[in-house]
Amino acid sequence: MERNKKGQDYSGGGNFQMESTIFIVVNSFGKGGAELSLAILAAELSKLKHRVFYIALWKEVNSYDFDWLRETGANVCILSNSRSNYLTRFIKLFKLIKQNRPVFIYSAMLNSNIISQIFSFIHSIPHAASIRNNPATYYGKTWHKKLIFSLGMVFQRNIVFISSKSKSEYLQSTYGKLLRKKRNYVLHNPIKADSRINDEFLRNKFRSIKEKLNAFLIGDSDVVIKLVIASRLVNGKGVMEMLEQSKDVFQNSRLHLHIYGTGILETKIKEYIFKEFPKKNVILMGYEKDPYKIYCNSEIFVFPSGSEGFGRAPFEALLMGSLVYCNEKVSIIDEFINDNLIWQDYSIYPNWDKALLKFSQIDPDHCVQLTKQVTNMLSPKTHATEFEKMIEFFVIDYSRKNAG
């Protein structure tokens, strides 16, 4: 067994999977996919008897409460009530680490990545930073974000990407030279399958979609195709752009689009819908926490975001029997599925005629098998097991470099 400079024991050869204390640190518990993905990870690690601390640096007005996560035995902590209260969260995080001596610290998002790396260095604890955004569409917008991100990368020793596509894009970006010198790992987001969904439900759903699309395409006036978007209504998510690009398409009253989500662009989007879609077939639905209510009755899920490195929502929709139409900037479904009838992507502007025609050609039974395949590959249990392997990969490397 190897020890680091402070005498902590790090076991290799699979022994790490015994009970360990793990810190997962994020900026806040805002209502994004990253926070939910990491909460699912924390819950699964708790089930595996690890002692988990899920920590937010500050509290936001609109945040997940994560009461369900506490019920799994995970420790849920918010360090300060204000984003600007730096001293409070520094002191509290320092004390938490000192008192609980985690074997590993895992962080996500820019602020938490930098702070966690600093504290891991102070306490001689291995750490990995998770990069969850698309480089070209987020960090490249302003010079100060480029600078802060670049400086942050100087601190990081271990980098975790949430898709192979994201990793490839970062390594080719401005920051590539910095990142190539780091230890890196690909760990996809976990997707929790809904217990109400089974093979029979999926098979009937895909058959219904195929029938409805074919009837729609031959002009059956009684057939309505329902599309949904589920997203935070903020810059970078592409919702407003999608509406503008598809304004003429949604003049067709047989195409209904329901948009779920809230955010700073909510009022602007609401006004645009009121002005441009008098037939009331485009509706802003507000926030809905139950994915089942969003996806189970929809035919096609639309994902216009340009800022994700993974994107939970397309996979949630797919696992509930919706076909997926997504922005190619962030589409990574091809990492899991080699059939682009069940999903499609578009570049710059969506081509709705082409998309609907291709979707009408799906094989329902094949769609069920592909969906089950993705369910298994992205299950929380599979994700937690891979996370344990990732920690062992980084921890053993860390202990060897610090043992001497």
Side-chain angles (χ1 to χ4, degrees):
M1 186 175 289
E2 298 178 85
R3 293 174 179 267
N4 71 351
K5 290 179 180 178
K6 300 238 175 152
Q8 287 175 295
D9 294 331
Y10 295 133
S11 301
N15 293 328
F16 167 76
Q17 295 179 22
M18 298 175 69
E19 297 175 17
S20 304
T21 299
I22 301 166
F23 276 27
I24 300 174
V25 187
V26 296
N27 289 352
S28 71
F29 293 150
K31 293 190 180 291
E35 295 90 337
L36 182 57
S37 294
L38 291 166
I40 292 172
L41 170 61
E44 202 64 30
L45 290 172
S46 292
K47 294 176 186 177
L48 294 174
K49 306 303 180 184
H50 293 297
R51 186 166 176 249
V52 183
F53 287 77
Y54 188 33
I55 302 167
L57 299 181
W58 66 79
K59 182 178 177 60
E60 290 185 357
V61 175
N62 295 313
S63 295
Y64 292 116
D65 54 34
F66 289 133
D67 287 340
W68 62 268
L69 178 56
R70 291 184 176 90
E71 292 174 3
T72 69
N75 299 276
V76 180
C77 312
I78 299 176
L79 301 183
S80 68
N81 290 322
S82 170
R83 183 169 184 161
S84 61
N85 200 341
Y86 296 99
L87 183 60
T88 297
R89 60 175 175 259
F90 266 68
I91 293 172
K92 286 187 177 180
L93 184 57
F94 184 88
K95 288 181 176 179
L96 275 175
I97 295 174
K98 187 175 181 180
Q99 291 168 0
N100 296 283
R101 298 304 303 174
V103 167
F104 191 77
I105 301 174
Y106 183 55
S107 63
M109 303 163 210
L110 187 57
N111 289 279
S112 60
N113 283 345
I114 294 174
I115 292 172
S116 295
Q117 181 63 53
I118 292 171
F119 279 106
S120 70
F121 176 79
I122 293 171
H123 291 282
S124 296
I125 298 169
H127 164 259
S130 176
I131 300 179
R132 311 188 77 83
N133 293 91
N134 180 306
T137 57
Y138 185 74
Y139 294 112
K141 284 186 176 180
T142 60
W143 69 267
H144 66 277
K145 283 188 176 181
K146 284 184 179 180
L147 177 61
I148 293 171
F149 181 72
S150 297
L151 289 174
M153 288 301 96
V154 173
F155 286 105
Q156 309 308 325
R157 179 173 180 176
N158 306 311
I159 306 294
V160 179
F161 299 94
I162 54 177
S163 72
S164 297
K165 180 175 182 178
S166 175
K167 174 183 174 179
S168 176
E169 288 180 351
Y170 268 104
L171 294 181
Q172 295 173 30
S173 72
T174 308
Y175 325 106
K177 291 181 180 179
L178 285 172
L179 297 178
R180 290 188 198 107
K181 298 177 182 178
K182 311 292 181 179
R183 300 270 284 175
N184 60 70
Y185 203 95
V186 174
L187 183 71
H188 302 109
N189 280 335
I191 306 297
K192 191 174 182 179
D194 195 292
S195 60
R196 291 165 284 190
I197 307 296
N198 54 40
D199 287 2
E200 183 180 4
F201 175 93
L202 289 172
R203 189 169 289 105
N204 290 336
K205 178 82 179 291
F206 287 124
R207 284 174 179 168
S208 173
I209 292 173
K210 184 179 179 72
E211 291 171 2
K212 290 182 71 174
L213 282 171
N214 280 286
F216 177 87
L217 290 170
I218 64 173
D220 190 331
S221 59
D222 294 329
V223 173
V224 170
I225 301 299
K226 182 179 174 183
L227 305 96
V228 297
I229 292 176
S231 171
R232 285 185 293 134
L233 305 181
V234 298
N235 292 320
K237 299 298 182 180
V239 177
M240 191 67 199
E241 291 82 353
M242 170 63 75
L243 290 175
E244 292 171 341
Q245 293 164 0
S246 305
K247 182 173 67 174
D248 293 340
V249 172
F250 288 107
Q251 300 308 318
N252 185 339
S253 60
R254 295 188 298 142
L255 282 176
H256 289 194
L257 175 63
H258 290 183
I259 302 171
Y260 293 86
T262 60
I264 58 174
L265 297 181
E266 186 173 354
T267 299
K268 181 180 179 180
I269 290 173
K270 186 182 295 184
E271 291 173 351
Y272 186 82
I273 290 173
F274 180 79
K275 177 183 176 183
E276 300 293 344
F277 304 104
K279 295 180 181 178
K280 308 296 183 184
N281 58 321
V282 178
I283 304 173
L284 192 58
M285 305 294 290
Y287 177 71
E288 173 56 62
K289 66 179 181 180
D290 184 358
Y292 184 87
K293 293 180 180 178
I294 299 174
Y295 307 123
C296 72
N297 293 318
S298 69
E299 277 75 56
I300 300 171
F301 175 73
V302 184
F303 191 60
S305 177
S307 63
E308 265 78 16
F310 183 95
R312 289 181 52 83
F315 289 95
E316 287 180 336
L318 187 64
L319 268 53
M320 294 188 193
S322 291
L323 306 179
V324 178
Y325 195 37
C326 46
N327 188 332
E328 70 169 7
K329 291 180 181 178
V330 295
S331 170
I332 63 155
I333 297 180
D334 55 345
E335 290 190 25
F336 305 89
I337 293 179
N338 60 5
D339 184 343
N340 67 354
L341 292 183
I342 192 171
W343 70 273
Q344 295 173 51
D345 58 17
Y346 64 89
S347 60
I348 307 177
Y349 303 112
N351 185 331
W352 289 101
D353 290 340
K354 181 180 177 182
L356 295 177
L357 180 60
K358 287 192 73 175
F359 280 141
S360 70
Q361 300 167 20
I362 59 170
D363 177 344
D365 292 327
H366 186 51
C367 289
V368 173
Q369 294 304 313
L370 290 174
T371 302
K372 288 175 64 178
Q373 172 185 312
V374 175
T375 300
N376 293 331
M377 293 176 71
L378 297 179
S379 73
K381 185 176 181 179
T382 301
H383 181 72
T385 301
E386 187 62 30
F387 183 83
E388 288 182 321
K389 293 178 183 177
M390 181 195 78
I391 292 182
E392 192 164 5
F393 172 75
F394 286 137
V395 164
I396 292 173
D397 175 65
Y398 183 93
S399 62
R400 284 173 179 165
K401 289 183 177 181
N402 290 276

